Structures are given as structure tokens and as C-alpha cells.
Amino acid sequence: HLFHVMAQSKVECDTIMFSAAISACGKAYEWQKALQILSAMAHNQVESNNFTFNATISACEKHGKWEKALQLLSVMKQKRVESNITTCNAAISACEKAGE
């Protein structure tokens, strides 16, 4: 809803804005909304980066959604987004929380 209102107000949504929204969703344990926002980025042709993916993987990790976290690692590779220690730690933690 927020992005719709911003678009109507002619506010340009960029990577930083999407990433901040994803991060906020993660902190609120809203992993599904985080995934929706990541998807909206692609739909709106906004480039994602490792911060965006790290925030989304962390959102999944907090809810024990290890399959989604690993799926996002694969998407990162396809999009040639470089992972880092934060990426790996979040994915490992997601697997750990789920007992995988």
C-alpha cells in the first residue's frame, strides 16, 4: 500500500526505499511481506543488491523459513548479486532454527 501511495505522489521508489521496507518487515516478523516487496522490486524494475537480499533472507530466518532463505541464495546467484558473510550467516541460521 505504501508504495502505491508513493507512486501516486510521484515519489520514486529506489533500492534504498525497498530495502528499508524489507528490513522493517524482517524486524516485524513479516517474512511474507518481505518476499512480496522483493518481488515488487523486480516488477517495478528496481535493482536489488546484497543488502536487499540480506534483509529478505534475515526476515525468512527469523521465522525459520530455511527453504525460502536457500531459494533466495539461488536467486542471488542467478542475478549475479554477490553474497557476503551476513548472507551466509542468515541462511545458516535459518537452517539451524528449523533443525535442518
Side-chain angles (χ1 to χ4, degrees):
H1 177 72
L2 173 64
F3 296 111
H4 180 71
V5 171
M6 290 173 70
Q8 286 182 331
S9 301
K10 307 272 193 242
V11 175
E12 185 177 335
C13 297
D14 62 7
T15 304
I16 295 169
M17 293 177 107
F18 275 103
S19 297
I22 290 170
S23 183
C25 288
K27 290 176 183 172
Y29 296 91
E30 294 285 346
W31 66 276
Q32 291 170 317
K33 287 194 189 295
L35 289 172
Q36 289 172 353
I37 293 170
L38 182 65
S39 180
M41 286 182 76
H43 179 74
N44 289 294
Q45 299 174 338
V46 176
E47 188 174 332
S48 51
N49 58 23
N50 69 348
F51 182 82
T52 306
F53 278 99
N54 289 349
T56 311
I57 291 170
S58 291
C60 292
E61 174 263 332
K62 287 181 175 128
H63 221 280
K65 299 298 180 185
W66 66 274
E67 297 102 334
K68 290 290 183 188
L70 296 182
Q71 186 179 48
L72 289 167
L73 284 176
S74 179
V75 172
M76 285 180 77
K77 186 175 181 179
Q78 290 170 358
K79 291 185 174 244
R80 301 178 194 267
V81 175
E82 191 172 324
S83 61
N84 58 23
I85 191 80
T86 303
T87 314
C88 297
N89 284 342
I92 290 168
S93 181
C95 293
E96 178 185 32
K97 285 183 179 181
E100 294 298 321

Tab-separated table of all heavy atoms in Angstrom, residues 26-73:
chain	number	residue	atom	x	y	z
A	26	GLY	N	11.249	-7.540	8.221
A	26	GLY	CA	12.007	-8.551	8.960
A	26	GLY	C	11.954	-8.316	10.456
A	26	GLY	O	11.753	-9.250	11.237
A	27	LYS	N	12.107	-7.079	10.857
A	27	LYS	CA	12.064	-6.747	12.285
A	27	LYS	C	10.677	-6.980	12.874
A	27	LYS	O	10.541	-7.240	14.063
A	27	LYS	CB	12.505	-5.306	12.497
A	27	LYS	CG	13.984	-5.127	12.234
A	27	LYS	CD	14.415	-3.691	12.346
A	27	LYS	CE	15.897	-3.609	11.997
A	27	LYS	NZ	16.379	-2.257	11.891
A	28	ALA	N	9.660	-6.895	12.033
A	28	ALA	CA	8.277	-7.118	12.483
A	28	ALA	C	7.839	-8.572	12.268
A	28	ALA	O	6.661	-8.885	12.435
A	28	ALA	CB	7.334	-6.178	11.740
A	29	TYR	N	8.782	-9.438	11.899
A	29	TYR	CA	8.495	-10.856	11.652
A	29	TYR	C	7.472	-11.062	10.539
A	29	TYR	O	6.674	-11.988	10.569
A	29	TYR	CB	8.049	-11.562	12.938
A	29	TYR	CG	9.140	-11.589	13.983
A	29	TYR	CD1	9.260	-10.573	14.920
A	29	TYR	CD2	10.082	-12.611	14.007
A	29	TYR	CE1	10.273	-10.580	15.858
A	29	TYR	CE2	11.087	-12.628	14.948
A	29	TYR	CZ	11.184	-11.612	15.871
A	29	TYR	OH	12.195	-11.620	16.793
A	30	GLU	N	7.508	-10.195	9.558
A	30	GLU	CA	6.591	-10.261	8.412
A	30	GLU	C	7.355	-10.773	7.192
A	30	GLU	O	7.540	-10.058	6.209
A	30	GLU	CB	5.991	-8.874	8.133
A	30	GLU	CG	5.087	-8.360	9.211
A	30	GLU	CD	3.725	-9.035	9.226
A	30	GLU	OE1	3.373	-9.726	8.247
A	30	GLU	OE2	3.018	-8.863	10.227
A	31	TRP	N	7.806	-12.030	7.244
A	31	TRP	CA	8.646	-12.579	6.190
A	31	TRP	C	7.922	-12.624	4.847
A	31	TRP	O	8.533	-12.408	3.798
A	31	TRP	CB	9.176	-13.952	6.578
A	31	TRP	CG	8.112	-15.006	6.702
A	31	TRP	CD1	7.327	-15.266	7.783
A	31	TRP	CD2	7.711	-15.921	5.679
A	31	TRP	NE1	6.458	-16.287	7.500
A	31	TRP	CE2	6.675	-16.720	6.220
A	31	TRP	CE3	8.126	-16.155	4.376
A	31	TRP	CZ2	6.057	-17.728	5.496
A	31	TRP	CZ3	7.515	-17.168	3.656
A	31	TRP	CH2	6.491	-17.941	4.214
A	32	GLN	N	6.620	-12.888	4.858
A	32	GLN	CA	5.874	-12.957	3.607
A	32	GLN	C	5.796	-11.590	2.927
A	32	GLN	O	5.924	-11.484	1.714
A	32	GLN	CB	4.472	-13.531	3.839
A	32	GLN	CG	4.520	-15.000	4.220
A	32	GLN	CD	3.180	-15.523	4.682
A	32	GLN	OE1	2.485	-14.854	5.441
A	32	GLN	NE2	2.837	-16.720	4.232
A	33	LYS	N	5.621	-10.544	3.717
A	33	LYS	CA	5.594	-9.192	3.154
A	33	LYS	C	6.971	-8.821	2.600
A	33	LYS	O	7.070	-8.146	1.579
A	33	LYS	CB	5.140	-8.183	4.197
A	33	LYS	CG	3.667	-8.267	4.519
A	33	LYS	CD	3.218	-7.037	5.278
A	33	LYS	CE	1.830	-7.150	5.810
A	33	LYS	NZ	0.782	-7.237	4.876
A	34	ALA	N	8.013	-9.264	3.281
A	34	ALA	CA	9.378	-9.018	2.789
A	34	ALA	C	9.560	-9.640	1.403
A	34	ALA	O	10.103	-8.998	0.493
A	34	ALA	CB	10.409	-9.564	3.768
A	35	LEU	N	9.074	-10.854	1.237
A	35	LEU	CA	9.169	-11.521	-0.071
A	35	LEU	C	8.328	-10.796	-1.114
A	35	LEU	O	8.739	-10.669	-2.271
A	35	LEU	CB	8.715	-12.982	0.043
A	35	LEU	CG	9.653	-13.921	0.805
A	35	LEU	CD1	8.981	-15.274	1.007
A	35	LEU	CD2	10.975	-14.077	0.078
A	36	GLN	N	7.162	-10.305	-0.715
A	36	GLN	CA	6.308	-9.559	-1.642
A	36	GLN	C	6.996	-8.271	-2.103
A	36	GLN	O	6.917	-7.895	-3.275
A	36	GLN	CB	4.969	-9.234	-0.983
A	36	GLN	CG	4.076	-10.426	-0.784
A	36	GLN	CD	2.845	-10.100	0.055
A	36	GLN	OE1	2.713	-9.007	0.614
A	36	GLN	NE2	1.940	-11.070	0.176
A	37	ILE	N	7.659	-7.608	-1.184
A	37	ILE	CA	8.357	-6.368	-1.543
A	37	ILE	C	9.524	-6.663	-2.468
A	37	ILE	O	9.741	-5.939	-3.452
A	37	ILE	CB	8.806	-5.612	-0.279
A	37	ILE	CG1	7.567	-5.118	0.488
A	37	ILE	CG2	9.724	-4.445	-0.637
A	37	ILE	CD1	7.862	-4.578	1.870
A	38	LEU	N	10.258	-7.731	-2.206
A	38	LEU	CA	11.355	-8.122	-3.093
A	38	LEU	C	10.815	-8.403	-4.493
A	38	LEU	O	11.402	-7.978	-5.496
A	38	LEU	CB	12.089	-9.345	-2.548
A	38	LEU	CG	13.291	-9.814	-3.354
A	38	LEU	CD1	14.395	-8.761	-3.352
A	38	LEU	CD2	13.807	-11.136	-2.814
A	39	SER	N	9.691	-9.072	-4.563
A	39	SER	CA	9.054	-9.349	-5.846
A	39	SER	C	8.598	-8.058	-6.523
A	39	SER	O	8.740	-7.901	-7.743
A	39	SER	CB	7.868	-10.294	-5.631
A	39	SER	OG	7.232	-10.583	-6.832
A	40	ALA	N	8.076	-7.128	-5.739
A	40	ALA	CA	7.634	-5.841	-6.286
A	40	ALA	C	8.806	-5.058	-6.869
A	40	ALA	O	8.647	-4.332	-7.856
A	40	ALA	CB	6.935	-5.024	-5.209
A	41	MET	N	9.976	-5.226	-6.270
A	41	MET	CA	11.165	-4.560	-6.814
A	41	MET	C	11.399	-5.001	-8.255
A	41	MET	O	11.605	-4.172	-9.140
A	41	MET	CB	12.413	-4.893	-5.992
A	41	MET	CG	12.489	-4.202	-4.671
A	41	MET	SD	14.009	-4.602	-3.787
A	41	MET	CE	15.187	-3.585	-4.679
A	42	ALA	N	11.375	-6.299	-8.478
A	42	ALA	CA	11.594	-6.830	-9.827
A	42	ALA	C	10.494	-6.351	-10.767
A	42	ALA	O	10.768	-5.953	-11.905
A	42	ALA	CB	11.649	-8.353	-9.789
A	43	HIS	N	9.269	-6.369	-10.279
A	43	HIS	CA	8.133	-5.935	-11.084
A	43	HIS	C	8.270	-4.467	-11.496
A	43	HIS	O	7.888	-4.084	-12.602
A	43	HIS	CB	6.825	-6.153	-10.309
A	43	HIS	CG	5.606	-5.708	-11.049
A	43	HIS	ND1	5.095	-6.413	-12.112
A	43	HIS	CD2	4.811	-4.613	-10.885
A	43	HIS	CE1	4.032	-5.769	-12.580
A	43	HIS	NE2	3.842	-4.675	-11.846
A	44	ASN	N	8.810	-3.659	-10.599
A	44	ASN	CA	8.988	-2.227	-10.857
A	44	ASN	C	10.362	-1.910	-11.461
A	44	ASN	O	10.729	-0.746	-11.565
A	44	ASN	CB	8.790	-1.423	-9.570
A	44	ASN	CG	7.347	-1.396	-9.153
A	44	ASN	OD1	6.513	-0.826	-9.840
A	44	ASN	ND2	7.031	-2.017	-8.030
A	45	GLN	N	11.086	-2.951	-11.814
A	45	GLN	CA	12.405	-2.825	-12.442
A	45	GLN	C	13.379	-2.017	-11.595
A	45	GLN	O	14.168	-1.225	-12.103
A	45	GLN	CB	12.279	-2.250	-13.845
A	45	GLN	CG	11.450	-3.133	-14.749
A	45	GLN	CD	11.196	-2.527	-16.105
A	45	GLN	OE1	11.268	-1.324	-16.301
A	45	GLN	NE2	10.896	-3.389	-17.076
A	46	VAL	N	13.315	-2.248	-10.288
A	46	VAL	CA	14.264	-1.644	-9.360
A	46	VAL	C	15.304	-2.713	-9.040
A	46	VAL	O	14.959	-3.833	-8.670
A	46	VAL	CB	13.561	-1.159	-8.066
A	46	VAL	CG1	14.569	-0.623	-7.074
A	46	VAL	CG2	12.508	-0.120	-8.395
A	47	GLU	N	16.558	-2.355	-9.173
A	47	GLU	CA	17.638	-3.322	-8.989
A	47	GLU	C	17.792	-3.682	-7.516
A	47	GLU	O	17.809	-2.815	-6.641
A	47	GLU	CB	18.951	-2.733	-9.513
A	47	GLU	CG	20.077	-3.724	-9.533
A	47	GLU	CD	21.316	-3.154	-10.185
A	47	GLU	OE1	21.191	-2.269	-11.055
A	47	GLU	OE2	22.407	-3.598	-9.818
A	48	SER	N	17.902	-4.980	-7.249
A	48	SER	CA	18.154	-5.446	-5.883
A	48	SER	C	19.660	-5.599	-5.698
A	48	SER	O	20.399	-5.777	-6.660
A	48	SER	CB	17.430	-6.771	-5.634
A	48	SER	OG	17.720	-7.696	-6.650
A	49	ASN	N	20.092	-5.523	-4.441
A	49	ASN	CA	21.512	-5.674	-4.144
A	49	ASN	C	21.683	-6.632	-2.968
A	49	ASN	O	20.704	-7.208	-2.488
A	49	ASN	CB	22.155	-4.303	-3.868
A	49	ASN	CG	21.502	-3.558	-2.722
A	49	ASN	OD1	20.879	-4.150	-1.853
A	49	ASN	ND2	21.643	-2.256	-2.717
A	50	ASN	N	22.905	-6.796	-2.502
A	50	ASN	CA	23.099	-7.775	-1.430
A	50	ASN	C	22.440	-7.321	-0.127
A	50	ASN	O	21.978	-8.151	0.643
A	50	ASN	CB	24.569	-8.136	-1.240
A	50	ASN	CG	25.422	-7.027	-0.676
A	50	ASN	OD1	25.019	-5.880	-0.598
A	50	ASN	ND2	26.632	-7.375	-0.303
A	51	PHE	N	22.328	-6.022	0.112
A	51	PHE	CA	21.617	-5.561	1.307
A	51	PHE	C	20.147	-5.966	1.236
A	51	PHE	O	19.557	-6.419	2.227
A	51	PHE	CB	21.738	-4.042	1.480
A	51	PHE	CG	21.067	-3.550	2.722
A	51	PHE	CD1	21.699	-3.621	3.948
A	51	PHE	CD2	19.770	-3.052	2.675
A	51	PHE	CE1	21.058	-3.194	5.114
A	51	PHE	CE2	19.127	-2.621	3.822
A	51	PHE	CZ	19.772	-2.694	5.045
A	52	THR	N	19.552	-5.817	0.064
A	52	THR	CA	18.144	-6.181	-0.141
A	52	THR	C	17.938	-7.667	0.133
A	52	THR	O	17.013	-8.061	0.854
A	52	THR	CB	17.717	-5.871	-1.587
A	52	THR	OG1	18.022	-4.513	-1.885
A	52	THR	CG2	16.249	-6.114	-1.795
A	53	PHE	N	18.808	-8.487	-0.456
A	53	PHE	CA	18.685	-9.925	-0.257
A	53	PHE	C	18.996	-10.319	1.185
A	53	PHE	O	18.334	-11.192	1.747
A	53	PHE	CB	19.572	-10.689	-1.240
A	53	PHE	CG	18.942	-10.860	-2.590
A	53	PHE	CD1	19.263	-10.023	-3.635
A	53	PHE	CD2	18.009	-11.859	-2.815
A	53	PHE	CE1	18.676	-10.173	-4.882
A	53	PHE	CE2	17.407	-12.021	-4.056
A	53	PHE	CZ	17.748	-11.177	-5.090
A	54	ASN	N	20.005	-9.687	1.785
A	54	ASN	CA	20.325	-9.998	3.178
A	54	ASN	C	19.141	-9.712	4.086
A	54	ASN	O	18.817	-10.511	4.967
A	54	ASN	CB	21.534	-9.186	3.645
A	54	ASN	CG	22.830	-9.640	3.019
A	54	ASN	OD1	22.905	-10.683	2.389
A	54	ASN	ND2	23.861	-8.831	3.174
A	55	ALA	N	18.481	-8.592	3.863
A	55	ALA	CA	17.309	-8.238	4.673
A	55	ALA	C	16.184	-9.247	4.474
A	55	ALA	O	15.505	-9.634	5.432
A	55	ALA	CB	16.836	-6.828	4.328
A	56	THR	N	15.991	-9.686	3.232
A	56	THR	CA	14.920	-10.651	2.945
A	56	THR	C	15.251	-12.018	3.528
A	56	THR	O	14.386	-12.674	4.125
A	56	THR	CB	14.680	-10.762	1.425
A	56	THR	OG1	14.549	-9.460	0.868
A	56	THR	CG2	13.415	-11.557	1.136
A	57	ILE	N	16.496	-12.445	3.377
A	57	ILE	CA	16.918	-13.734	3.956
A	57	ILE	C	16.804	-13.685	5.477
A	57	ILE	O	16.340	-14.641	6.107
A	57	ILE	CB	18.347	-14.098	3.501
A	57	ILE	CG1	18.338	-14.425	2.003
A	57	ILE	CG2	18.901	-15.267	4.310
A	57	ILE	CD1	19.714	-14.559	1.377
A	58	SER	N	17.178	-12.567	6.083
A	58	SER	CA	17.057	-12.414	7.534
A	58	SER	C	15.601	-12.471	7.977
A	58	SER	O	15.289	-13.050	9.022
A	58	SER	CB	17.685	-11.095	7.990
A	58	SER	OG	19.079	-11.146	7.834
A	59	ALA	N	14.705	-11.887	7.190
A	59	ALA	CA	13.275	-11.954	7.511
A	59	ALA	C	12.806	-13.405	7.501
A	59	ALA	O	12.046	-13.830	8.385
A	59	ALA	CB	12.471	-11.120	6.523
A	60	CYS	N	13.261	-14.168	6.517
A	60	CYS	CA	12.903	-15.596	6.450
A	60	CYS	C	13.531	-16.361	7.610
A	60	CYS	O	12.897	-17.237	8.200
A	60	CYS	CB	13.365	-16.182	5.118
A	60	CYS	SG	12.479	-15.542	3.688
A	61	GLU	N	14.752	-16.007	7.934
A	61	GLU	CA	15.485	-16.669	9.027
A	61	GLU	C	14.750	-16.510	10.351
A	61	GLU	O	14.618	-17.462	11.113
A	61	GLU	CB	16.890	-16.070	9.113
A	61	GLU	CG	17.713	-16.555	10.283
A	61	GLU	CD	17.691	-15.611	11.471
A	61	GLU	OE1	17.511	-14.404	11.279
A	61	GLU	OE2	17.831	-16.110	12.604
A	62	LYS	N	14.231	-15.340	10.620
A	62	LYS	CA	13.550	-15.087	11.890
A	62	LYS	C	12.306	-15.948	12.057
A	62	LYS	O	11.847	-16.177	13.171
A	62	LYS	CB	13.178	-13.608	12.001
A	62	LYS	CG	14.381	-12.746	12.248
A	62	LYS	CD	14.009	-11.300	12.379
A	62	LYS	CE	15.252	-10.522	12.751
A	62	LYS	NZ	15.534	-9.412	11.922
A	63	HIS	N	11.777	-16.428	10.956
A	63	HIS	CA	10.578	-17.265	11.004
A	63	HIS	C	10.897	-18.728	10.699
A	63	HIS	O	9.996	-19.543	10.531
A	63	HIS	CB	9.534	-16.727	10.020
A	63	HIS	CG	8.148	-16.757	10.559
A	63	HIS	ND1	7.374	-17.883	10.577
A	63	HIS	CD2	7.401	-15.791	11.135
A	63	HIS	CE1	6.208	-17.616	11.113
A	63	HIS	NE2	6.200	-16.350	11.464
A	64	GLY	N	12.192	-19.061	10.592
A	64	GLY	CA	12.609	-20.440	10.352
A	64	GLY	C	12.296	-20.943	8.953
A	64	GLY	O	12.210	-22.150	8.724
A	65	LYS	N	12.144	-20.046	8.002
A	65	LYS	CA	11.816	-20.424	6.620
A	65	LYS	C	13.107	-20.689	5.839
A	65	LYS	O	13.506	-19.944	4.959
A	65	LYS	CB	10.979	-19.329	5.946
A	65	LYS	CG	9.662	-19.080	6.630
A	65	LYS	CD	8.801	-20.311	6.586
A	65	LYS	CE	7.471	-20.122	7.261
A	65	LYS	NZ	6.702	-21.351	7.315
A	66	TRP	N	13.756	-21.799	6.189
A	66	TRP	CA	15.058	-22.114	5.605
A	66	TRP	C	14.978	-22.376	4.112
A	66	TRP	O	15.896	-22.023	3.368
A	66	TRP	CB	15.707	-23.280	6.342
A	66	TRP	CG	14.974	-24.590	6.196
A	66	TRP	CD1	13.940	-25.036	6.961
A	66	TRP	CD2	15.223	-25.594	5.223
A	66	TRP	NE1	13.522	-26.262	6.516
A	66	TRP	CE2	14.303	-26.641	5.453
A	66	TRP	CE3	16.136	-25.724	4.192
A	66	TRP	CZ2	14.268	-27.791	4.679
A	66	TRP	CZ3	16.114	-26.876	3.422
A	66	TRP	CH2	15.184	-27.891	3.670
A	67	GLU	N	13.879	-22.982	3.641
A	67	GLU	CA	13.764	-23.256	2.213
A	67	GLU	C	13.768	-21.959	1.407
A	67	GLU	O	14.424	-21.851	0.376
A	67	GLU	CB	12.478	-24.039	1.887
A	67	GLU	CG	12.397	-25.406	2.517
A	67	GLU	CD	11.478	-25.407	3.742
A	67	GLU	OE1	11.312	-24.346	4.389
A	67	GLU	OE2	10.965	-26.480	4.074
A	68	LYS	N	13.017	-20.981	1.887
A	68	LYS	CA	12.967	-19.671	1.214
A	68	LYS	C	14.326	-18.993	1.270
A	68	LYS	O	14.750	-18.359	0.305
A	68	LYS	CB	11.901	-18.776	1.844
A	68	LYS	CG	10.493	-19.208	1.573
A	68	LYS	CD	10.143	-18.992	0.117
A	68	LYS	CE	8.708	-19.360	-0.156
A	68	LYS	NZ	8.392	-19.351	-1.574
A	69	ALA	N	14.993	-19.094	2.415
A	69	ALA	CA	16.311	-18.474	2.560
A	69	ALA	C	17.285	-19.062	1.530
A	69	ALA	O	18.002	-18.317	0.850
A	69	ALA	CB	16.846	-18.678	3.975
A	70	LEU	N	17.286	-20.376	1.386
A	70	LEU	CA	18.184	-21.017	0.422
A	70	LEU	C	17.761	-20.704	-1.009
A	70	LEU	O	18.615	-20.537	-1.898
A	70	LEU	CB	18.241	-22.524	0.654
A	70	LEU	CG	18.836	-22.961	2.001
A	70	LEU	CD1	18.881	-24.478	2.093
A	70	LEU	CD2	20.216	-22.362	2.221
A	71	GLN	N	16.470	-20.606	-1.234
A	71	GLN	CA	15.966	-20.234	-2.558
A	71	GLN	C	16.453	-18.825	-2.929
A	71	GLN	O	16.839	-18.573	-4.071
A	71	GLN	CB	14.440	-20.299	-2.550
A	71	GLN	CG	13.801	-20.084	-3.892
A	71	GLN	CD	12.280	-20.194	-3.800
A	71	GLN	OE1	11.658	-19.592	-2.922
A	71	GLN	NE2	11.696	-20.970	-4.691
A	72	LEU	N	16.457	-17.932	-1.964
A	72	LEU	CA	16.936	-16.573	-2.211
A	72	LEU	C	18.431	-16.554	-2.531
A	72	LEU	O	18.882	-15.753	-3.354
A	72	LEU	CB	16.627	-15.668	-1.021
A	72	LEU	CG	15.146	-15.322	-0.858
A	72	LEU	CD1	14.897	-14.686	0.506
A	72	LEU	CD2	14.678	-14.403	-1.974
A	73	LEU	N	19.197	-17.450	-1.905
A	73	LEU	CA	20.622	-17.561	-2.256
A	73	LEU	C	20.777	-17.925	-3.726
A	73	LEU	O	21.644	-17.385	-4.429
A	73	LEU	CB	21.314	-18.623	-1.393
A	73	LEU	CG	21.638	-18.258	0.037
A	73	LEU	CD1	22.222	-19.466	0.757
A	73	LEU	CD2	22.610	-17.099	0.096
